[in-house]
């Protein structure tokens, strides 16, 4: 295929991506936030359902005693479910994100995630997704009059979007599998290319939408926790992976909804 033919196909794909985002602009931010906080909701519910097991695990792992172990479970339960409700209702979103940041850091230390690269990368991706929620709340908060665009660039929002995009990449690093099958090599190459495009903010909406589709397929195929009987520990592991991936999908949908921001190739192209 000639270069002009490839460019034509790419521009058609971009037009489709624009149509999808325009037709779903009222639904997309809500769907993005819902997906994004799903892992925190699932974990909060798990703290309630597995109250005794979680408390015993913390007590045995850290030898911290009954009181501190209970405090850990209560903090995770109330902090996560409360913050999820605040994000979904758009009430004090910056405080809600602060609480969820604290929970991610607390769990990283408590579950010794620092020494497990896969879990650490996924938590970094979660932080990236939360930064995008914060960016959305900041852009709303900066508007003084309804329908009137603000003057100048909203720099904190731009840098939050950039940091969010970069951190989302860590999720894809955990999905790369180094096997020598042709299908796996293609998956790794396509995924890596899309990751780079989202990070630098080039053809951002199209790249993010393709990644959302690709991640959804992988998530429902590899992390089908509902097919595992309840008594098997694998069910909990797959459920954890499923909702964490769903949260990163929410982050990507937020990228589609908000756009790449000022610090991106797409934005710089407009100035050329």
């Amino acid at each position: 295929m000639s270069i002009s033919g490839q460019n034509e196909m790419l521009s058609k794909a971009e037009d489709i991506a624009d149509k999808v985002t325009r037709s779903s602009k009222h639904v997309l931010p809500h769907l993005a936030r819902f997906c994004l906080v799903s892992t925190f909701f699932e974990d909060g519910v798990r703290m309630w359902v597995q109250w005794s097991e979680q408390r015993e695990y913390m007590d045995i792992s850290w030898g911290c005693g009954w009181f501190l172990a209970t405090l850990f479970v209560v903090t995770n339960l109330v902090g996560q479910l409360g913050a999820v409700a605040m994000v979904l209702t758009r009430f004090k979103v910056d405080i809600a994100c602060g609480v969820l940041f604290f929970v991610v850091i607390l769990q990283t230390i408590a579950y010794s995630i620092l020494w497990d690269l896969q879990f650490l990368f996924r938590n970094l991706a979660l932080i990236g997704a939360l930064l995008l929620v914060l960016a959305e709340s900041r852009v709303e908060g900066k508007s003084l009059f309804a329908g009137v665009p603000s003057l100048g660039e909203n720099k904190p929002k731009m840098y939050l979007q950039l940091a969010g995009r970069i951190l989302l990449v860590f999720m894809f690093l955990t999905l790369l599998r180094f096997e020598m099958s042709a299908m796996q090599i293609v998956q790794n190459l396509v995924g890596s290319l899309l990751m780079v495009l989202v990070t630098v903010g080039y053809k951002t909406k199209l790249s993010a939408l393709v990644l959302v589709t690709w991640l959804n397929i992988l998530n429902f195929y590899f992390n089908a926790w509902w097919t595992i009987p309840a008594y098997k520990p694998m069910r909990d592991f797959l459920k954890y992976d499923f909702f964490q991936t769903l949260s990163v999908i929410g982050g990507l949908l937020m990228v589609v909804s908000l756009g790449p921001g000022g610090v991106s190739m797409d934005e710089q192209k407009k100035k050329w």
Side-chain angles (χ1 to χ4, degrees), residues 105-237:
I105 292 163
L106 180 66
Q107 290 191 358
T108 301
I109 297 164
Y111 294 125
S112 304
I113 285 169
L114 276 172
W115 317 120
D116 186 320
L117 270 186
Q118 185 161 17
F119 285 110
L120 179 63
F121 280 4
R122 290 192 177 194
N123 275 11
L124 285 170
L126 267 188
I127 288 172
L130 285 173
L131 286 176
L132 292 166
V133 174
L134 208 52
E136 189 205 26
S137 72
R138 284 195 74 94
V139 73
E140 286 171 358
K142 287 280 177 184
S143 181
L144 292 174
F145 304 102
V148 179
S150 58
L151 296 171
E153 292 174 321
N154 187 345
K155 287 199 173 174
K157 176 210 161 199
M158 280 173 12
Y159 292 122
L160 282 171
Q161 284 176 277
L162 174 65
R165 288 202 320 271
I166 291 168
L167 288 173
L168 281 180
V169 166
F170 284 100
M171 184 68 196
F172 308 115
L173 294 178
T174 68
L175 293 172
L176 295 176
R177 288 178 172 83
F178 299 102
E179 297 165 9
M180 290 313 290
S181 68
M183 190 64 192
Q184 194 58 57
I185 291 167
V186 169
Q187 272 187 31
N188 287 351
L189 286 173
V190 172
S192 301
L193 175 65
L194 291 169
M195 270 168 21
V196 171
L197 292 177
V198 169
T199 309
V200 300
Y202 181 70
K203 311 278 186 195
T204 316
K205 289 187 177 182
L206 176 61
S207 305
L209 273 176
V210 174
L211 265 179
V212 164
T213 309
W214 182 62
L215 264 185
N216 264 313
I217 292 165
L218 290 182
N219 201 25
F220 278 89
Y221 182 76
F222 287 114
N223 299 324
W225 55 270
W226 52 89
T227 61
I228 309 290
Y231 63 86
K232 289 193 175 181
M234 182 54 75
R235 184 185 172 96
D236 271 351
F237 284 114

Side-chain angles (χ1 to χ4, degrees), residues 7 12 39 42 115 171 214 223 252 255 259 265 271:
N7 287 340
K12 277 182 183 174
T39 192
E42 185 272 332
W115 317 120
M171 184 68 196
W214 182 62
N223 299 324
L252 285 166
V255 170
M265 284 182 70
K271 297 175 185 176

